[in-house]
Amino acid sequence: MTVELRTMSLEPRRHTFGHIARRKGADVPASRYEEGTLDLQATDNFHYKPLWEPEYWVYDTRKTAVVMADWYDLKDPRQYYYATYNIARANMQQAVERTFSFVEKRAMLDGLDADWREKVIDTLLPMRHVAWGANMNMTNICDRGYGTAVTAPCQFSAMDHLGMAQIISRIGLALDGNSGETLDAAKAAWMDSPHWQDMRRLVEDSLVLKDWFEQYVAQALVIDGVTHAFAYDVMDSAGQSKGGAPISMMTEFMVEWRAEQNRWVDAVIKTAAAESDANRTLISGWAKNWLSRAIEAVKPLCTHVVGDSSAASSIEAELSARFAKLGLAF
């Protein structure tokens, strides 16, 4: 008996899912990012308008004054969807765990100067409340925003801020032997210390913004830009001569995260501003307003840490240059 083997090649009728085929064509292969992002926003068959905001549908482009012909133009250059985001963050979290283990095993925090230890408690640790505000803002943008291309990474960013708040909390616990006393002191500083009140007001005002794209500008572009530059550049540099190297190691996640996050934020702002002159004018106005407020809010913090507010001017100059590169009127 003879067995004859033959191979057959079956051509698929289309190379991707229907929602991608309708946008790009059935014969155009799509990336996993595109399959998990493009045209996933619900657009039809809503049963009723929200009772708390009856002038809008649940998903409504009118919830911002920014106008886009296609909201899916606001793509994430990192191409994050659920799987790739979690893989990236798992790797970063492993590095965090190794660093904390290294610092704690060698009791490196014992080498902090006494006065710098107090600065860490009343200036760095309250940053966890700033991160919590950022988490709330980015979650709200995900809720009110339009188009998965922007709302999905906003939720990823919200969880990143929650993770950073937890890292800062762990630094406090490492300083006080897990008693929680430093976190109580940090909350008291956040609530009552004069150098924190302008920043606390800024964060609280950002929480109640109605236009979600303005909230995006305020939080992702401005508040993150100013507070991270202060905490992880200005304050970090000031601490190097005071035994602060282990703090630098424990906050390396924030430094790496900022560089990655800025790629996405810059892409969104640049694309939205380039859409029309009206968008550019609107976004530029929001950026100017919130940058002015954020710089005034960070000045008392700079003075508290390094003795004067000149570092705030440097932060402002760097961000103004960055905004100009994005096509904003600066």
Side-chain angles (χ1 to χ4, degrees):
M1 182 177 68
T2 301
V3 177
E4 184 178 355
L5 299 178
R6 294 183 179 181
T7 61
M8 297 180 62
S9 179
L10 299 177
E11 286 293 327
R13 297 181 62 182
R14 64 185 185 193
H15 296 275
T16 187
F17 296 100
H19 65 290
I20 302 297
R22 286 188 291 272
R23 174 180 282 268
K24 301 182 65 176
D27 295 327
V28 181
S31 68
R32 288 286 183 262
Y33 168 73
E34 291 173 324
E35 290 176 349
T37 301
L38 298 179
D39 292 324
L40 294 186
Q41 174 73 64
T43 58
D44 299 298
N45 302 320
F46 303 136
H47 295 289
Y48 57 86
K49 291 186 176 181
L51 298 178
W52 59 90
E53 210 170 35
E55 66 272 26
Y56 300 125
W57 290 105
V58 176
Y59 306 112
D60 200 317
T61 59
R62 296 173 299 159
K63 289 182 180 180
T64 177
V66 170
V67 177
M68 296 290 297
D70 183 0
W71 282 99
Y72 290 90
D73 286 341
L74 305 180
K75 296 182 180 67
D76 183 353
R78 305 166 300 177
Q79 298 207 352
Y80 276 169
Y81 61 98
Y82 184 81
T84 51
Y85 167 75
N86 280 285
I87 291 169
R89 290 298 175 267
N91 291 334
M92 293 176 73
Q93 181 61 27
Q94 288 176 359
V96 169
E97 295 300 332
R98 287 194 296 269
T99 298
F100 270 77
S101 176
F102 182 87
V103 169
E104 292 172 354
K105 186 182 298 183
R106 289 159 179 78
M108 296 177 68
L109 291 175
D110 293 347
L112 283 176
D113 290 0
D115 62 331
W116 192 251
R117 183 180 186 277
E118 293 307 311
K119 283 289 196 303
V120 169
I121 292 172
D122 71 11
T123 308
L124 178 63
L125 297 192
M127 280 290 295
R128 71 196 189 109
H129 299 286
V130 178
W132 173 84
N135 169 268
M136 295 291 287
N137 279 335
M138 299 309 290
T139 300
N140 188 60
I141 296 166
C142 178
D143 174 41
R144 297 178 61 79
Y146 193 89
T148 314
V150 69
T151 57
C154 279
Q155 189 57 47
F156 298 154
S157 179
M159 299 313 297
D160 289 339
H161 283 96
L162 182 61
M164 288 184 281
Q166 292 172 341
I167 288 172
I168 296 170
S169 298
R170 289 181 62 183
I171 292 173
L173 294 173
L175 284 169
D176 64 22
N178 293 318
S179 70
E181 293 177 359
T182 58
L183 301 184
D184 291 337
K187 182 178 180 181
W190 171 253
M191 297 296 294
D192 302 318
S193 293
H195 57 274
W196 270 112
Q197 298 319 298
D198 289 342
M199 184 60 69
R200 185 161 73 94
R201 183 179 299 109
L202 180 77
V203 171
E204 290 175 356
D205 286 350
S206 72
L207 293 171
V208 295
L209 289 172
K210 287 291 186 182
D211 188 304
W212 66 265
F213 207 100
E214 180 182 3
Q215 193 171 43
Y216 182 87
V217 171
Q219 179 61 61
L221 186 64
V222 177
I223 297 178
D224 280 350
V226 170
T227 57
H228 280 244
F230 162 71
Y232 310 117
D233 291 341
V234 175
M235 188 172 180
D236 185 79
S237 296
Q240 294 306 306
S241 62
K242 302 177 184 296
I247 300 295
S248 301
M249 295 170 62
M250 299 167 94
T251 56
E252 182 63 17
F253 177 97
M254 288 73 148
V255 176
E256 294 181 1
W257 175 86
R258 179 170 38 145
E260 178 201 275
Q261 171 93 345
N262 285 351
R263 289 180 56 216
W264 165 59
V265 174
D266 288 359
V268 170
I269 296 296
K270 186 174 184 178
T271 302
E275 178 79 3
S276 66
D277 289 339
N279 279 4
R280 180 180 293 104
T281 300
L282 191 63
I283 295 171
S284 297
W286 288 335
K288 285 181 180 179
N289 174 55
W290 285 97
L291 180 59
S292 175
R293 292 192 57 185
I295 292 301
E296 289 304 311
V298 85
K299 283 181 178 178
L301 293 167
C302 291
T303 301
H304 180 67
V305 170
V306 297
D308 61 67
S309 63
S310 60
S313 298
S314 298
I315 294 173
E316 182 177 22
E318 290 176 5
L319 286 175
S320 295
R322 176 186 169 195
F323 296 170
K325 289 180 180 179
L326 301 181
L328 303 184
F330 266 79

